[in-house]
């Protein structure tokens, strides 16, 4: 970067790594929610200035969400490690627990290991080490199908590629993970399946003219509700939600938050990750911050601030200029 600058090349550098911005930048522009918030020369500002402008007004943004968690543990993770090719760990000795009815938020920058954590919990990485207990039972070695039947369900980040089959109907998509529940002596119980789908459409307020229409005909928000319905039909004890509000409109986001609250009220433990600070503080009972595969902060909802979350998410990152010197 320094060589390019000396050669007269102008550079636009986009990053959440605040220290490296101060190291290599000459001028900074802060964007928030698609709007230009502030501009300044690097020599005139510091990291608290950047954080303040990134998060905006730091007054109380917490919603009326009330914790429904109890003291009954539903999930415990002990010393979870996911080795990285070439050395080191993608997930570096993670330990935490989740109670029934609790909504646990996971915050971190891209590459923090949030999605990989969910993949390990679902049994996708057999090379992972450590222990995972669901309702007191060791489920560490379970394959994906085993985890689903034991009570773990995942809402993937990419609903189009990983959550849905675009060529299938709403009914077929919603029952993909739970079809075993509707089979009796090698036959699918059609009426039982139909009633389950209709009940889920009603409970989740999915706007669809018929359960038989193609999933591709639905809006993004309603497709996401179908993915949630697919997970709920497996009767989960723990629901993992990877960026559940990405790519949906404001109204659908509010619906998803209401669904999460309702699930917590039924005693389901919910873990969700998001890169949206406002969302994670508004809906979580407790927040874990990850950086480079490690847990770098843990906050109760009433104690969490956007500044604290941003600072914890940047822990362990070396500025680019420091790396170049080596």
């Amino acid at each position: 970067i320094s060589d390019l600058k000396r050669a007269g090349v102008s550079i636009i550098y986009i990053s959440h790594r605040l220290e490296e911005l101060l190291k290599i930048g000459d001028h900074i522009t802060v964007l928030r929610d698609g709007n230009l918030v502030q501009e300044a020369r690097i020599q005139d500002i510091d990291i608290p200035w950047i954080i303040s402008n990134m998060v905006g007004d730091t007054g109380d943004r917490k919603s009326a969400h009330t914790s429904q968690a109890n003291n009954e543990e539903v999930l415990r993770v002990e010393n979870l490690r996911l080795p990285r090719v070439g050395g080191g760990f993608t997930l570096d000795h993670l330990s935490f627990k989740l109670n029934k009815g609790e909504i646990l938020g996971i915050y971190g920058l891209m590459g923090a290991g949030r999605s990989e954590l969910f993949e390990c919990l679902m049994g996708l990485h057999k090379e992972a080490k450590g222990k995972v207990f669901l309702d007191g039972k060791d489920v560490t070695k379970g394959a994906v199908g085993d985890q689903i039947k034991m009570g773990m369900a995942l809402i993937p980040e990419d609903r189009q590629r990983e959550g849905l089959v675009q060529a299938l109907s709403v009914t077929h998509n919603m029952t993909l993970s739970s079809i075993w529940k509707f089979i009796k002596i090698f036959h699918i119980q059609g009426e039982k399946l139909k009633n389950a789908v209709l009940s889920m459409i009603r409970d989740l307020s999915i706007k669809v003219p018929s359960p038989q229409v193609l999933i591709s005909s639905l809006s993004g928000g309603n497709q996401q509700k179908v993915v949630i319905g697919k997970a709920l039909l497996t009767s989960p004890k723990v629901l993992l939600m990877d960026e559940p509000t990405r790519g949906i409109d404001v109204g659908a986001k509010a619906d998803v938050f209401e669904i999460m609250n309702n699930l917590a009220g039924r005693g389901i433990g919910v873990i969700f990750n998001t890169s949206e600070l406002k969302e994670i503080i508004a809906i979580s009972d407790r927040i874990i911050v990850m950086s480079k595969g490690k847990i770098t902060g843990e906050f109760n909802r009433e104690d969490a601030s956007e500044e604290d979350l941003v600072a914890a998410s940047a822990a362990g990152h070396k500025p680019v200029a420091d790396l170049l010197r080596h």
Side-chain angles (χ1 to χ4, degrees):
I1 291 175
S2 296
D3 290 343
L4 289 172
K5 287 170 64 177
R6 284 192 292 269
V9 177
S10 298
I11 298 171
I12 299 176
Y13 190 87
I14 302 172
S15 178
H16 280 103
R17 317 292 189 222
L18 307 185
E19 291 86 357
E20 71 186 31
L21 290 176
L22 295 181
K23 288 278 187 179
I24 67 177
D26 299 306
H27 188 91
I28 188 166
T29 299
V30 180
L31 302 178
R32 186 175 69 246
D33 297 331
N35 296 310
L36 191 155
V37 175
Q38 194 60 264
E39 294 180 286
R41 296 182 305 169
I42 286 294
Q43 59 264 38
D44 296 334
I45 58 96
D46 54 16
I47 288 179
W49 183 94
I50 300 175
I51 293 175
S52 175
N53 283 284
M54 281 176 63
V55 302
D57 178 19
T58 57
D60 185 16
R61 289 195 185 91
K62 297 179 176 65
S63 69
H65 169 70
T66 301
S67 175
Q68 301 172 88
N70 58 40
N71 292 322
E72 191 175 352
E73 180 184 283
V74 66
L75 178 73
R76 185 167 79 255
V77 176
E78 295 180 353
N79 205 27
L80 183 63
R81 292 101 65 203
L82 179 61
R84 183 189 297 119
V85 176
F89 295 95
T90 300
L91 298 178
D92 195 349
H93 300 78
L94 303 185
S95 296
F96 63 91
K97 71 172 186 174
L98 175 73
N99 290 332
K100 292 183 178 181
E102 182 180 24
I103 299 178
L104 175 62
I106 308 286
Y107 180 74
L109 303 177
M110 184 179 295
R114 297 173 300 161
S115 294
E116 289 83 357
L117 168 60
F118 286 179
E119 291 170 0
C120 285
L121 294 178
M122 289 302 299
L124 282 168
H125 293 284
K126 294 305 175 187
E127 69 275 25
K129 308 294 183 183
K131 292 288 186 181
V132 179
F133 297 91
L134 183 61
D135 255 357
K137 183 174 181 178
D138 189 345
V139 298
T140 306
K141 299 300 182 181
V144 175
D146 300 323
Q147 303 301 75
I148 291 173
K149 290 182 178 180
M150 284 294 299
M152 201 99 71
L154 170 66
I155 310 297
E157 178 180 4
D158 190 339
R159 62 176 173 271
Q160 298 286 351
R161 292 194 307 165
E162 300 173 1
L164 299 168
V165 179
Q166 297 297 316
L168 295 182
S169 68
V170 170
T171 292
H172 287 144
N173 269 285
M174 195 177 287
T175 54
L176 278 173
S177 297
S178 58
I179 193 66
W180 50 274
K181 294 177 64 177
F182 305 102
I183 294 176
K184 185 176 183 181
I185 316 177
F186 307 111
H187 293 284
I188 295 176
Q189 298 173 288
E191 194 65 24
K192 181 180 178 183
L193 183 148
K194 175 184 174 182
N195 290 335
V197 170
L198 289 174
S199 177
M200 195 60 64
I201 288 173
R202 182 181 63 251
D203 292 346
L204 299 182
S205 301
I206 301 174
K207 296 179 177 64
V208 58
S210 163
Q212 303 311 315
V213 301
L214 289 178
I215 191 69
S216 56
S217 67
L218 273 60
S219 67
N222 284 298
Q223 287 187 17
Q224 184 71 332
K225 290 180 184 180
V226 171
V227 178
I228 294 172
K230 181 177 74 170
L232 295 183
L233 282 178
T234 67
S235 303
K237 299 172 183 176
V238 173
L239 184 61
L240 311 174
M241 308 181 78
D242 195 350
E243 294 279 4
T245 61
R246 175 168 289 177
I248 61 178
D249 62 39
V250 174
K253 286 184 179 183
D255 290 342
V256 170
F257 293 149
E258 183 178 358
I259 290 168
M260 293 167 68
N261 274 316
N262 290 339
L263 295 177
R266 288 161 44 185
I268 295 174
V270 178
I271 307 178
F272 83 107
N273 79 53
T274 180
S275 52
E276 297 289 337
L277 285 164
K278 296 180 181 66
E279 290 183 6
I280 204 160
I281 290 179
I283 197 67
S284 302
D285 299 316
R286 187 163 49 93
I287 302 168
I288 286 175
V289 183
M290 292 181 62
S291 178
K292 299 187 72 173
K294 296 182 178 181
I295 294 176
T296 53
E298 184 171 345
F299 306 89
N300 292 322
R301 178 175 176 270
E302 56 271 18
D303 300 325
S305 72
E306 295 180 354
E307 290 90 340
D308 289 338
L309 298 185
V310 170
S313 70
H317 290 280
K318 289 185 178 180
V320 168
D322 289 353
L323 296 175
L324 290 175
R325 284 199 293 269
H326 297 288

